[in-house]
């Protein structure tokens, strides 16, 4: 299992230039070779490139149900952008997206790292337990959300009856029904979903750190915590960055979880940019405004994608 | 008992404890599903008289959706591998100008939110008559696994020595037959991993199922469950039974393909 970024293998040097008479056959071979790659490229362009471009265009168009009858989506300048930015919900959704994303990442990463470190110990059943722990990540997110919705039910959920048994809370905690708690609940569920992913990748990263390094640190008299902080963490850094950036990119756009858990409520307290895009486009059928929010979402991801690629390149440059 | 065996036993106990806490929701899902007539109010911690009653109800109401999910997911796997395998081979072995750009492009796709794709696809699908169609959903769901599959397969195929392929070509095979006869069989494990993940991604899809269908003609089980809870839920037993059924591919994967998964998660997402 490799977890560090593999170096970009420099492509095989192109075959020696063909003699002049064979130039056309060399070109034919190139065309033939491209036929292997072309279908996938066309597909990626259709299902990722096209949506990106179309969303930018749509954000400047009046794209409403009428469009589907008339086929016309007149350009309306910055109307959609103005409408979205003056929509009170936008600021809330943006802020809640930040809280949801940062909260999820901190929780997933901390617990994921703790588990990864724990499982580097050698003990019976370690591998089996690690494998089974992946289940929350593999189960469809909608399903997880539905189960948690049942668990977190204010009156009949097992979470509240458990807390009551422990004497930790008097009345039921309104996990999903109070605007001040619902976002926290969504974060908790998303942390649960994300722990396995963080654990697996960080565990892989830990495995690649040579044992001798730790032994050397121990010889120098470093305790476990000191070793972890001064040796393990720095060596793990490339993997940590990758985990966090990938985690960010997938968390910032989470939609299934929130729709099935709270539907964005109560009182819009769990609306994020993702759910707002969905609501504008597919419930209010204003695809133009939905596209605006979608573009903001992409812009935020793009900033982190740049970071990711820079990290990637830095790693490749070090030959690691 | 030596100190180190005691320590390792302690670790095992701790690991099982972690497992119990982390998997409690899964346990709860199964437990609720096994309790027939579990009213809104009461669900026993341990099913005292377990029954498959809820599963029967789940099959009756959601059986069609499960079948739809299966068809769509398998279709997405086929599309995904059919596109990814030759592309990965081309990117790994041909040294084509622009390969790097394409690999870069597959990384970029990770930052495009599904809802943005759905937003644009819906209008295009409406024009092409692909809304509420199996083909439309299969094509859209294939996009969830394709970048992953390309990156994963390419990383594997880079390590196939080109001499092996050249040897086959000396024997008269052309690039394509060499690909089919030599490269694909050699890549079997990588293909299985990529296919499994493509299946799982498509099976778990909710956004495309929700947005690209306006009727119930093509309704995967994720959408079925969502609609189930949309109305006032009175029968949690049946909802949970459906949830259990829809989690089965993940469970099978964990048992059957365990060794591919961890490698797949880390390999495909980072390389």
């Amino acid at each position: 299992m490799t977890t560090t970024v593999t170096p970009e293998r420099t492509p095989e040097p192109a075959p020696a230039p063909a003699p002049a008479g064979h130039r056309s056959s060399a070109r034919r071979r190139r065309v033939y070779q491209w036929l292997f790659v072309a279908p996938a490229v066309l597909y990626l362009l259709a299902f990722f490139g096209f949506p990106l471009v179309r969303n930018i265009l749509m954000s400047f168009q009046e794209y409403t149900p009428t469009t589907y009858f008339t086929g016309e989506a007149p350009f309306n300048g910055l109307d959609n952008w103005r409408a979205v930015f003056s929509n009170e919900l936008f600021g809330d959704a943006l802020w809640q997206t930040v809280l949801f994303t940062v909260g999820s990442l901190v929780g997933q990463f901390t617990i994921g790292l703790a588990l990864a470190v724990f499982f580097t110990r050698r003990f019976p059943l370690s591998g089996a337990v690690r494998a089974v722990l992946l289940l929350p990540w593999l189960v469809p997110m909608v399903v997880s959300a539905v189960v948690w919705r049942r668990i977190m039910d204010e009156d009949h959920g097992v979470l509240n009856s458990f807390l009551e048994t422990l004497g930790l809370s008097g009345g039921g905690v309104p996990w999903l029904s109070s605007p001040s708690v619902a976002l926290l609940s969504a974060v908790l569920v998303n942390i649960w979903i994300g722990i396995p992913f963080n654990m697996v990748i960080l565990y892989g990263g830990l495995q690649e750190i040579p044992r001798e390094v730790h032994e050397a640190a121990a010889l120098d008299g470093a305790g476990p915590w000191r070793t972890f902080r001064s040796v393990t963490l720095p060596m793990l850094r490339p993997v940590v960055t990758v985990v966090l950036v990938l985690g960010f990119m997938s968390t910032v756009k989470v939609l299934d979880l929130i729709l099935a858990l709270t539907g964005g409520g109560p009182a819009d307290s769990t609306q994020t940019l993702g759910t707002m895009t969905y609501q504008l486009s597919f419930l209010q059928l204003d695809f133009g405004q939905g596209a605006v929010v979608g573009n903001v979402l992409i812009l935020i991801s793009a900033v982190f994608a740049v970071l990711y690629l820079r990290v990637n390149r830095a790693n490749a440059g070090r030959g690691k | 008992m030596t100190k180190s065996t005691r320590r390792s036993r302690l670790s095992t106990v701790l690991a099982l404890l972690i497992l119990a806490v982390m998997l409690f929701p899964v346990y709860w899902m199964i437990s609720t599903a096994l309790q027939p007539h579990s009213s809104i109010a009461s669900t026993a911690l341990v099913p005292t008289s377990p029954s498959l009653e809820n599963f029967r109800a789940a099959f009756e109401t959601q059986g069609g959706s499960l079948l739809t999910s299966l068809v769509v997911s398998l279709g997405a796997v086929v599309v995904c591998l059919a596109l990814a395998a030759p592309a990965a081979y081309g990117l790994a072995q041909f040294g084509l100008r622009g390969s790097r750009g394409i690999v870069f492009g597959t990384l970029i796709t990770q930052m495009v939110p599904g809802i943005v794709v759905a937003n644009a696809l819906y209008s295009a699908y409406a024009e092409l008559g692909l809304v509420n169609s199996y083909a439309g959903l299969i094509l859209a769901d294939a996009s969830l696994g394709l970048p992953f599959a390309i990156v994963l397969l390419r990383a594997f195929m880079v390590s196939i020595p080109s001499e092996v392929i050249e040897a086959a070509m000396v024997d008269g095979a052309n690039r394509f037959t060499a690909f089919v006869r030599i490269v694909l069989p050699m890549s079997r494990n990588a293909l299985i991993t990529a296919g499994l993940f493509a299946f799982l991604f498509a099976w778990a899809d909710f956004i495309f199922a929700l947005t690209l269908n306006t009727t119930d003609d093509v309704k995967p089980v994720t959408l079925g469950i969502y609609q189930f809870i949309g109305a006032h839920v009175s029968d949690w037993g049946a909802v949970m039974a459906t949830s259990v059924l829809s989690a089965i591919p993940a469970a099978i994967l964990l048992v059957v393909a365990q060794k591919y998964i961890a490698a797949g998660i880390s390999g495909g997402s980072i390389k």
Side-chain angles (χ1 to χ4, degrees):
Chain A
M1 192 168 74
T2 42
T3 46
T4 36
V5 183
T6 43
E8 280 293 317
R9 179 194 253 214
T10 12
E12 308 291 324
H22 292 133
R23 193 167 290 153
S24 73
S25 92
R27 187 183 300 159
R28 219 173 37 229
R29 205 185 59 219
R30 276 283 171 224
V31 171
Y32 183 60
Q33 290 181 339
W34 270 107
L35 287 181
F36 280 83
V37 182
V41 171
L42 290 178
Y43 180 93
L44 289 176
L45 286 175
F47 282 84
F48 291 102
F50 163 80
L52 278 177
V53 176
R54 180 95 171 213
N55 259 277
I56 293 173
L57 287 178
M58 276 168 101
S59 69
F60 299 106
Q61 281 175 298
E62 198 180 317
Y63 221 106
T64 56
T66 338
T67 308
Y68 294 102
F69 293 110
T70 60
E72 279 166 30
F75 282 91
N76 59 2
L78 291 174
D79 284 5
N80 293 328
W81 292 81
R82 253 181 244 125
V84 166
F85 288 140
S86 60
N87 185 340
E88 252 173 58
L89 184 57
F90 179 76
D92 291 347
L94 186 63
W95 176 235
Q96 283 151 12
T97 307
V98 172
L99 290 179
F100 179 78
T101 309
V102 173
S104 297
L105 284 183
V106 170
Q108 289 171 0
F109 178 78
T110 322
I111 301 176
L113 181 61
L115 290 186
V117 170
F118 171 71
F119 279 103
T120 52
R121 294 186 192 179
R122 297 212 173 129
F123 57 88
L125 289 181
S126 165
V129 171
R130 231 178 336 113
V132 180
L133 273 180
L134 286 175
L135 203 56
W137 189 73
L138 293 167
V139 168
M141 217 183 242
V142 170
V143 172
S144 301
V146 167
V147 175
W148 274 99
R149 189 169 155 152
R150 172 74 177 147
I151 291 173
M152 288 178 152
D153 188 275
E154 182 178 351
D155 301 317
H156 313 295
V158 66
L159 184 54
N160 275 343
S161 39
F162 176 69
L163 290 177
E164 261 166 63
T165 317
L166 291 185
L168 284 175
S169 79
V173 179
W175 294 106
L176 299 171
S177 42
S178 155
S180 52
V181 189
L183 188 65
L184 175 70
S185 305
V187 168
L188 290 177
V189 176
N190 197 45
I191 288 175
W192 178 77
I193 291 173
I195 288 172
F197 176 79
N198 283 264
M199 181 188 78
V200 166
I201 298 190
L202 292 169
Y203 177 81
L206 288 171
Q207 292 300 98
E208 300 219 336
I209 299 176
R211 289 200 152 260
E212 299 82 58
V213 179
H214 286 126
E215 281 157 18
L219 278 180
D220 288 345
W225 174 241
R226 183 69 211 271
T227 311
F228 178 74
R229 237 193 34 196
S230 315
V231 179
T232 313
L233 266 190
M235 293 190 77
L236 201 60
R237 226 190 64 186
V239 182
V240 168
T241 319
V242 166
V243 166
L244 287 179
V245 173
L246 284 177
F248 178 90
M249 272 156 47
S250 59
T251 309
V252 79
K253 62 190 182 193
V254 162
L255 180 59
D256 333 25
L257 170 72
I258 294 175
L259 280 187
L261 194 65
T262 61
D268 288 328
S269 61
T270 53
Q271 292 279 5
T272 59
L273 294 180
T275 60
M276 194 180 173
T277 310
Y278 169 71
Q279 293 215 335
L280 285 171
S281 289
F282 291 96
L283 297 180
Q284 296 176 27
L285 297 173
D286 193 325
F287 286 81
Q289 287 194 31
V292 172
V293 183
N295 288 335
V296 174
L297 200 53
I298 291 174
L299 207 66
I300 296 174
S301 303
V303 172
F304 277 78
V306 170
L307 179 73
Y308 172 61
L309 292 164
R310 276 186 57 178
V311 169
N312 229 338
R313 215 180 26 221
N315 288 331
R318 277 209 305 275
K320 180 78 184 98
Chain B
M1 199 155 61
T2 65
K3 198 178 161 198
S4 78
T5 52
R6 202 177 321 141
R7 200 183 126 108
S8 90
R9 278 200 194 161
L10 197 69
S11 295
T12 305
V13 171
L14 195 55
L16 292 175
L17 207 66
I18 293 168
L19 192 68
V21 172
M22 275 295 286
L23 289 200
F24 177 77
V26 178
Y27 167 76
W28 198 241
M29 171 173 79
I30 299 169
S31 169
T32 311
L34 287 173
Q35 297 178 41
H37 317 297
S38 97
S39 64
I40 296 183
S42 74
T43 309
L45 203 58
V46 181
T48 40
S49 51
S51 120
L52 295 177
E53 181 64 27
N54 289 323
F55 286 92
R56 208 172 52 86
F59 270 116
E60 268 168 25
T61 55
Q62 301 290 330
S65 299
L66 284 163
L67 200 62
T68 301
S69 281
L70 194 64
V71 171
V72 170
S73 306
L74 288 176
V77 170
V78 171
V79 172
C80 200
L81 291 185
L83 291 168
Y89 173 61
L91 294 173
Q93 295 277 344
F94 292 163
L96 293 171
R97 199 174 299 160
S99 295
R100 271 163 175 271
I102 294 168
V103 176
F104 181 83
T106 57
L107 289 174
I108 295 284
T109 61
Q110 290 190 22
M111 76 180 212
V112 186
I115 186 66
V116 170
V117 177
N119 206 25
L121 272 194
Y122 180 79
S123 60
Y125 270 24
E127 285 159 30
L128 297 168
L130 281 173
V131 177
N132 301 318
S133 74
Y134 277 90
L137 191 56
I138 287 172
L139 282 173
D141 279 359
S143 74
L144 300 170
L146 185 67
F148 179 85
I150 292 177
V151 171
L152 191 84
L153 290 172
R154 178 183 158 278
F156 178 83
M157 288 175 180
V158 162
S159 64
I160 297 180
S162 51
E163 294 82 29
V164 179
I165 300 157
E166 274 152 24
M169 290 174 67
V170 169
D171 292 343
N174 64 24
R175 278 272 169 203
F176 185 71
T177 45
F179 168 68
V180 173
R181 297 226 193 100
I182 311 288
V183 176
L184 287 186
M186 282 182 81
S187 316
R188 211 192 62 176
N189 283 356
L191 285 168
I192 291 176
T193 311
L196 287 171
F197 273 92
F199 184 91
L200 217 54
F201 290 157
W203 181 272
D205 164 59
F206 171 66
I207 295 176
F208 291 138
L210 178 69
T211 53
L212 300 179
N213 295 293
T214 54
T215 62
D216 280 348
D217 294 344
V218 184
K219 186 170 75 176
V221 71
T222 46
L223 189 55
I225 292 176
Y226 181 67
Q227 289 176 350
F228 221 149
I229 59 158
H232 184 66
V233 190
S234 56
D235 193 358
W236 275 102
V239 175
M240 290 302 166
T242 314
S243 301
V244 171
L245 292 174
S246 67
I248 282 177
I252 293 177
L253 211 65
L254 269 185
V255 177
V256 178
Q258 201 217 93
K259 65 175 169 174
Y260 302 120
I261 296 179
I265 294 178
S266 40
S269 49
I270 293 188
K271 276 188 189 136

